[in-house]
């Protein structure tokens, strides 16, 4: 068994919720690069590294190919950019532009064997602790996933981490895999896989108390991390104390050392940002509801008690994660460089481990003080220092003693005035030798503390200063904080970059930090406690799903104040009955008409929430569908679907950002994760919701996106599905969610530690059975297992392996029969029939029950079975199983040389005129022979919507033709 199969066996458990886990893949050495070209603007600074050709657009590339240029193996197009103040407008613009590109790409047969590779940067949260940095381009992942489902093998999605050095071999390896979606992180490849939500080390809070914090049950190994009772959190406050609802808590290397038993300290966690819950009577600087940050001993829990002198107001528009990244790093750097070292203008300082939290803070402070900065870091992190503006000759390795020579050379042989140290052993000795006369060695490490007198004796004229920040005392810490905050307000200093983990995933965060893989800070976020006195806002609140959720919140989660929003408000069907039902259950219900995509209207509604029951939770359940396959999807359809999803979610995010929310839930769709054929716009819209929830969670705000599968109860979102659609879903292993299933998954998702939960009823055994004869989609390989050997749909003979070879070995009659059986068998599977008896060979596919999406599925299945790349118009061009089988035979086993003129004449003479007339060929033959009537009669057009203008038909694209064939242009 390979690794995928082993993981599948381990992950196949009873947990109904799923999540996306990014699995590391091996990077094969020296994978040869293919023929690549770059299309359009290089937004990722790739050209210098990869040195490939470029074309301004697809039309220019097509012209080059027409002129004789080689068709590339992969056409790369990059998307990245700064944050937009109007995210919804920016999302619409980029989705429209990329949709046009996809349509042009699919319409040009010259690129049928190429792959369009869409590159983004930070549009997905792939590596541990990552946030989504590029919200605007995150929807492209939903759009492209839908396109990949409709057109397998034509598109690749790659997300980069900003590093371009050494990218070429990794990119070559990525494009050599069969993975349609990958992220490149730190020179490695990560691929998305669906897994059970509880997969991996997950800490469980105590069941018998809401007061707990992270600690170790026994020092020595990180396996002993646990969430343990913390009764102090709810004990009466003493003088000067503040009770704090922790939203985010910064980790420090001291916490890792404490867990490993390497320091003589007992309390994990030392800094946090959150909301004041209660103050002692003598505390006047803060009040309940204030957003604060500071040094908070024992901060790794949802509630902590802290001395008010250690707190400061969280700056406006800072996230909780930003607030948690600042206190210890900047206070440590300030105390070491200013209080102890007295670093002054014109002096020089060597900052070790300069990409860690204290190191990055020290760089900012040293520059503010006018000092010359030298740094060390692991070579893999030198790019971070370059991005901070540190000159190349002042960057050295923290893992090699060569830094001593490099720093001395860069400083003209003088050495440095101050060393801010966090290294140990021989690295300390080398650093001491770098000190100039009067130099100060400031030791903040914990594992190699030396005797100051001995150091001074060995290095005359220098001083050795070891410190622990807490020795400064609460009053001095408060004054230092007061001195630092104006520097942040003026833009002199900036919060640090951070990776975030839910505290229940603390083992992952501790492992990450113990391996020194972080840049800046590692922050733990805390699950928020529910507030039954607060108001819960539900968009789409009177709809089918909104009503189910409202009942669940009241009956199972203690909600007592509901604000239900909908476009029709109290006039919506069933609104009065729902209000009466919820009121009888003990809730106070307000139903309001509001278009949540209208920012001003939404702001008015939020302003009217009573202060005695402030807004504490949001559930965004509204949305619309307007399905179409990629090649016929229009910008109007995109805008119609994005508006109630993207615009509304963004307005809810911005307008509630400073509220003390305990939950912010977005109803997404599994189409954004799995890719839904015919739902490119819907997948794009929901991919934005998924990314927004992940961004919020990383910022220390509540954020949860539930990617729903199909619900059994018909609604405005699912009522268009017929029995055939449901049969196809069940065949693929997906069953509709009952009301009970759905609300149970909703409750489970609220308790989950992840920002994205996939809530669908997936029968893994049924999926395995359905895929037994074919390849397993990469996304399902952790659940289902590694891809099996592709089943040969055509009979094997004579040792031939390719479909064309096997067909050629068959007699003509048997060859035709084998292909017809192939077509009928796959058509029956697509339509959900147990056998192929219902697939009559001479009956039109439309009459058999095919629509645009089932046509796409049949085309894709035949692609996989035959190895061909069949056109999107396959069922329009060959509208019956007989005709389609004949076409496949011509493609796989072309006939011999064309018949001679004599043979054609003989064959035509053998066909009775009645058969030619019945087939509609007689008039055409007579016209060719010059014997047709001068004014042939025309049959009346029975279809009032039909098109009889040949020029108009010629102007139609492939999917319009498919729509015409199926009697609809709205696919």
């Amino acid at each position: 068994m390979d690794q995928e199969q082993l993981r599948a066996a381990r992950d196949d458990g009873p947990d109904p919720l799923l999540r996306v886990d990014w699995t590391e893949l091996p990077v094969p050495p020296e994978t040869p690069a293919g023929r690549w070209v770059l299309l359009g603007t290089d937004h990722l600074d790739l050209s210098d590294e990869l040195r490939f050709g470029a074309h301004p657009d697809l039309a220019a590339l097509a012209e080059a190919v027409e002129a004789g240029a080689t068709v590339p193996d992969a056409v790369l197009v990059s998307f990245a950019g700064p944050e937009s103040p109007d995210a919804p407008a920016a999302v619409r613009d980029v989705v429209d532009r990329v949709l046009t590109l996809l349509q042009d790409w699919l319409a040009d047969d010259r690129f049928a064997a190429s792959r369009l590779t869409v590159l983004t940067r930070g549009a997905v949260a792939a590596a541990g602790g990552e946030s989504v940095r590029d919200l605007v381009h995150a929807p492209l992942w939903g759009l492209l996933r839908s396109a990949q489902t409709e057109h397998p093998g034509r598109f690749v999605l790659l997300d980069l981490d900003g590093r371009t050095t050494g990218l070429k071999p990794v990119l070559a390896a990525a494009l050599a895999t069969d993975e349609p979606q990958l992220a490149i992180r730190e020179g490695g490849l990560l691929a998305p896989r669906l897994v059970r939500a509880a997969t991996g080390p997950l800490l469980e809070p105590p069941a018998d108390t809401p007061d707990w914090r992270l600690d170790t049950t026994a020092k020595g190994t990180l396996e002993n991390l646990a969430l343990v009772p913390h009764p102090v959190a709810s004990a009466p406050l003493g003088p000067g104390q503040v009770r704090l609802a922790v939203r985010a808590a910064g980790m420090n290397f001291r916490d890792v050392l404490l867990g490993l038993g390497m320091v003589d300290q007992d309390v994990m966690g030392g800094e946090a940002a959150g909301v004041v819950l209660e103050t002692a009577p003598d505390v006047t600087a803060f009040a309940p509801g204030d957003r604060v940050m500071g040094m908070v001993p024992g901060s790794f829990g949802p509630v902590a008690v802290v001395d008010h002198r250690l707190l400061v107001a969280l700056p406006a528009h800072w996230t909780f994660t930003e607030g948690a990244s600042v206190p210890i790093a900047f206070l440590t750097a300030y105390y070491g460089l200013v209080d102890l070292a007295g670093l002054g203008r014109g002096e020089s300082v060597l900052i070790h481990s300069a990409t860690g939290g204290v190191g990055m803070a020290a760089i900012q402070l040293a520059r503010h003080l006018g000092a010359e900065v030298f740094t060390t870091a692991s070579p893999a992190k030198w790019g971070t220092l370059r991005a901070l503006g540190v000159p190349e000759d002042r960057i050295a390795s923290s893992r090699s003693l060569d830094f001593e020579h490099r720093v001395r050379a860069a400083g003209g042989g003088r050495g440095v005035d101050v060393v801010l140290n966090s290294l140990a052993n021989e690295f300390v000795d080398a650093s001491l030798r770098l000190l100039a006369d009067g130099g100060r060695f400031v030791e903040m490490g914990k594992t190699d503390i030396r005797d100051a007198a001995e150091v001074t004796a060995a290095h005359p004229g220098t001083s050795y200063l070891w410190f622990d920040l807490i020795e400064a005392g609460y009053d001095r810490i408060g004054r230092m904080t007061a001195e630092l905050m104006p520097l942040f307000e003026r833009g002199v200093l900036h919060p640090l970059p951070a990776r975030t983990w839910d505290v229940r995933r603390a083992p992952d965060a501790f492992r990450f930090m113990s391996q020194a893989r972080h840049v800046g800070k590692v922050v733990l976020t805390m699950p928020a406690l529910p507030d039954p006195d607060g108001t819960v806002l539900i968009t789409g609140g009177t709809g089918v799903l909104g009503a189910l959720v409202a009942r669940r919140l009241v009956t199972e989660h203690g909600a007592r104040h509901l604000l239900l929003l909908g476009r029709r408000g109290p006039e919506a069907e069933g609104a009065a009955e729902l209000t009466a039902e919820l009121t009888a259950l003990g809730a106070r219900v307000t139903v309001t008409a509001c278009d949540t995509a209208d920012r001003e209207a939404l702001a008015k509604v939020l302003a009217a929430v009573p202060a005695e029951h402030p807004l504490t939770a949001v559930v965004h359940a509204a949305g619309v569908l307007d399905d179409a396959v990629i090649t016929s999807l229009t910008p109007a359809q995109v805008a119609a679907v994005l508006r109630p999803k993207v615009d509304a979610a963004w307005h809810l995010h911005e307008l509630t950002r400073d509220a003390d929310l305990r939950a912010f839930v977005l109803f997404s769709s599994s189409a954004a994760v799995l890719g839904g054929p015919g739902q490119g716009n819907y997948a794009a819209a929901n991919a934005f919701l998924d990314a927004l929830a992940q961004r919020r969670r990383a910022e220390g705000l509540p954020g949860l996106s539930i990617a729903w599968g199909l619900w059994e109860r018909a609604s405005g979102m699912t009522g268009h599905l017929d029995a055939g659609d449901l049969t196809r879903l069940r065949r693929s292993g997906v069953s509709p969610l009952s009301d009970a299933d759905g609300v149970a998954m909703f409750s489970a998702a609220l308790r989950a530690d992840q920002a994205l939960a996939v809530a669908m009823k997936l029968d893994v055994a049924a999926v395995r059975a359905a895929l037994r004869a074919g390849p397993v989609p990469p996304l399902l390989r952790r659940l289902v297992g590694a891809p099996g050997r592709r089943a040969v749909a055509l009979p094997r003979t004579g040792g031939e392996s390719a479909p064309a070879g096997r067909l050629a070995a068959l007699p003509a009659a048997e060859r035709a029969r084998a292909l017809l059986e192939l077509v009928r068998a796959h058509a029956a599977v697509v339509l959900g029939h147990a056998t192929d008896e219902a697939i009559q060979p001479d009956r039109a596919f439309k009459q058999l029950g095919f629509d645009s999406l089932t046509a796409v599925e049949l085309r894709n299945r035949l692609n996989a079975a035959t190895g061909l790349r069949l056109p999107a118009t396959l069922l329009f061009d060959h509208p019956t199983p007989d005709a389609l089988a004949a076409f496949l035979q011509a493609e796989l086993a072309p006939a011999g040389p064309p018949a001679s003129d004599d043979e054609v004449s003989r064959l035509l003479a053998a066909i009775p005129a009645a058969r030619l007339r019945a087939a509609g060929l007689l008039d055409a033959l007579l016209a060719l022979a010059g014997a047709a009537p001068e004014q042939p009669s025309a049959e009346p057009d029975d279809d009032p919507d039909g098109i009889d203008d040949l020029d108009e038909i010629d102007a139609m694209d492939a999917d319009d033709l498919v729509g015409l064939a199926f009697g609809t242009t709205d696919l």
Side-chain angles (χ1 to χ4, degrees), residues 2-275:
D2 64 14
Q3 290 298 315
E4 295 278 12
Q5 290 171 312
L6 289 171
R7 285 173 175 157
R10 183 173 64 244
D11 293 348
D12 188 8
D15 186 358
L17 284 179
L18 302 170
R19 64 180 176 89
V20 177
D21 182 65
W22 289 78
T23 301
E24 187 170 1
L25 301 180
V27 179
E30 300 181 3
T31 304
R35 297 185 299 271
W36 306 335
V37 298
L38 181 67
L39 215 59
T41 303
D42 177 11
H43 294 285
L44 301 176
D45 301 323
L46 301 173
S47 297
D48 291 342
E49 167 68 19
L50 300 179
R51 297 183 181 86
F52 45 34
H55 298 272
D57 52 34
L58 188 60
L61 174 59
E63 288 180 9
V65 170
E66 193 67 25
T70 302
V71 176
D73 300 316
V75 176
L76 279 59
V77 57
S78 64
F79 295 94
E83 288 284 312
S84 170
D86 187 353
V91 167
R92 282 192 296 276
D93 176 68
V94 73
V95 171
D96 284 347
R97 286 190 288 113
V98 175
L99 175 61
T100 299
L101 174 62
L102 302 187
Q103 291 171 337
D104 292 344
W105 176 261
L106 291 169
D108 197 327
D109 290 339
R110 285 169 292 197
F111 305 114
S114 298
R115 290 180 295 170
L116 184 67
T117 302
V118 175
L119 304 175
T120 57
R121 181 173 59 206
V124 292
E130 271 192 346
S131 173
V132 175
R133 290 175 289 141
D134 188 351
L135 281 177
V136 168
H137 294 98
L140 296 185
W141 278 70
L143 177 68
L144 266 294
R145 282 168 172 157
S146 183
Q148 288 173 337
T149 305
E150 294 178 23
H151 303 276
R154 299 300 311 278
F155 303 103
V156 176
L157 275 165
L158 284 177
D159 191 77
L160 311 184
D161 61 0
R163 303 184 186 191
T164 57
T165 303
L167 179 60
K168 186 173 183 179
V170 186
L171 186 57
L175 293 176
T177 71
D178 66 345
E179 300 282 347
Q181 303 160 30
L182 287 166
I184 296 177
R185 296 293 186 269
E186 299 179 0
L189 296 179
L190 301 176
R193 297 289 189 263
L194 273 183
V195 299
R196 299 296 177 186
T199 301
L202 182 66
L203 305 181
E204 293 290 344
D208 56 350
T209 176
D211 301 326
W212 51 265
R213 64 179 174 87
L214 178 71
D215 207 336
T216 180
T217 57
K219 295 180 180 180
T221 172
L222 299 180
E223 300 300 318
N224 293 330
L225 291 172
L227 303 180
V228 301
H230 183 47
V232 172
S234 58
L237 295 178
Q241 289 187 328
V242 173
R243 197 181 321 276
L244 179 68
V246 177
R247 297 289 184 257
M251 276 183 61
N252 294 280
F253 205 70
R254 181 190 69 88
D255 298 309
V256 175
L257 297 178
L258 191 156
L260 296 174
M262 298 176 66
V263 293
D264 187 20
Q265 296 177 355
D266 295 319
V267 179
M268 282 188 171
E271 60 189 332
V275 179

Side-chain angles (χ1 to χ4, degrees), residues 15-18 194 196 670 674 706-710 733-735 737 745 757-763 780:
D15 186 358
L17 284 179
L18 302 170
L194 273 183
R196 299 296 177 186
S670 59
L674 281 74
I706 306 177
W708 291 107
L710 177 67
V734 177
S735 297
L737 294 169
M745 285 188 173
V758 181
M760 57 189 298
K761 202 169 181 180
L762 187 67
D763 184 340
L780 299 180

Side-chain angles (χ1 to χ4, degrees), residues 689-690 693-695 697-698 703-706 752-757:
L689 267 57
D690 298 344
Q694 291 170 315
R695 165 76 73 85
R697 185 71 70 101
L704 169 65
S705 186
I706 306 177
D753 65 293
Q754 301 288 329
L756 173 59

Side-chain angles (χ1 to χ4, degrees), residues 322-644:
E322 287 174 324
S325 78
V326 164
I328 287 182
F330 281 89
L331 287 168
T332 299
Y334 192 90
Y335 189 59
L337 295 180
V338 176
D339 282 36
L340 298 182
L343 183 66
R345 181 170 300 278
E347 290 192 306
S348 58
V349 57
L350 170 60
I351 301 170
H352 281 305
S353 302
T355 57
V358 175
M360 295 183 78
I363 290 175
Q364 296 185 50
L365 282 167
R367 285 174 170 168
H368 168 65
L369 295 170
E372 187 179 11
V373 177
F374 297 83
T375 63
T376 68
S378 65
K381 299 178 182 178
W382 287 2
T384 299
L385 295 175
R386 295 186 187 105
L388 292 174
V390 179
E392 192 71 29
D393 64 344
R394 297 180 188 181
I395 301 174
S397 175
S398 59
R399 301 190 175 183
S400 167
L401 294 175
D402 291 343
F403 78 84
E404 180 182 359
H405 170 74
R406 188 174 178 86
V407 170
R408 193 178 299 280
R414 178 180 175 276
V416 295
D417 296 298
V418 175
V419 173
L420 185 63
N421 184 62
S422 57
L423 304 181
N425 303 321
E426 63 270 23
F427 290 87
V428 173
D429 299 322
S431 300
L432 286 166
R433 291 193 295 269
L434 280 171
L435 285 175
D437 187 42
R440 290 87 77 196
F441 189 94
V442 182
E443 175 63 83
M444 59 180 181
K446 302 292 187 289
T447 60
D448 186 12
I449 302 171
R450 305 196 176 186
D451 182 271
E454 292 179 2
V455 170
T456 301
H459 301 274
T462 65
S463 56
Y464 179 88
L465 307 164
W466 176 84
F467 75 99
D468 193 308
L469 178 59
I470 201 66
E471 74 181 20
Y474 287 7
D475 288 331
R476 177 57 188 144
I477 289 173
R479 289 196 301 273
M480 286 192 292
T481 303
E483 293 162 12
L484 284 168
M485 295 313 295
L487 299 178
F488 285 103
E489 294 168 6
R490 300 204 311 265
V492 175
L493 304 179
H494 304 277
L496 302 176
R499 295 273 190 114
T500 59
W501 277 264
D502 187 287
V503 69
R504 290 165 289 182
R505 296 279 178 180
D508 293 338
F510 274 66
R511 292 290 180 196
F512 189 83
M513 177 170 268
S514 70
Q515 296 163 9
R517 296 172 59 190
H518 63 293
V519 168
K521 292 287 289 188
V522 171
V523 172
L524 299 178
T525 59
M526 305 296 148
L529 301 176
D531 181 3
D533 290 328
T535 296
V536 179
L537 181 154
I538 305 175
T539 71
T542 58
V544 172
L545 298 188
L548 286 172
V549 167
R551 293 187 191 96
R552 184 71 172 189
L553 288 170
V554 171
T555 59
E556 298 295 329
H557 298 277
R560 289 295 174 264
H561 304 276
L562 298 180
L563 174 57
L564 308 183
L565 302 188
R567 295 180 67 90
R568 298 180 59 198
E571 302 301 319
E573 183 180 355
E577 292 81 359
L578 177 63
T579 300
E581 178 188 352
L582 296 174
T583 301
L585 292 171
R588 179 180 176 182
V589 182
T590 302
V591 180
T592 302
C594 179
D595 176 5
T596 50
D598 182 332
R599 184 186 179 94
E600 291 186 7
L602 179 60
K604 290 179 181 177
V605 170
L606 294 176
V609 175
E612 62 270 24
H613 302 293
L615 187 69
T616 56
V618 169
V619 179
H620 179 38
V624 299
L625 288 173
D626 195 351
D627 290 356
V629 292
I630 289 294
T631 47
S632 58
L633 189 62
T634 67
Q637 288 174 297
V638 170
V641 171
L642 291 184
R643 188 175 184 276

Side-chain angles (χ1 to χ4, degrees), residues 806-818:
R806 300 197 299 277
L807 275 175
L810 295 174
E814 189 174 339
R815 184 187 313 150
R817 184 169 59 253

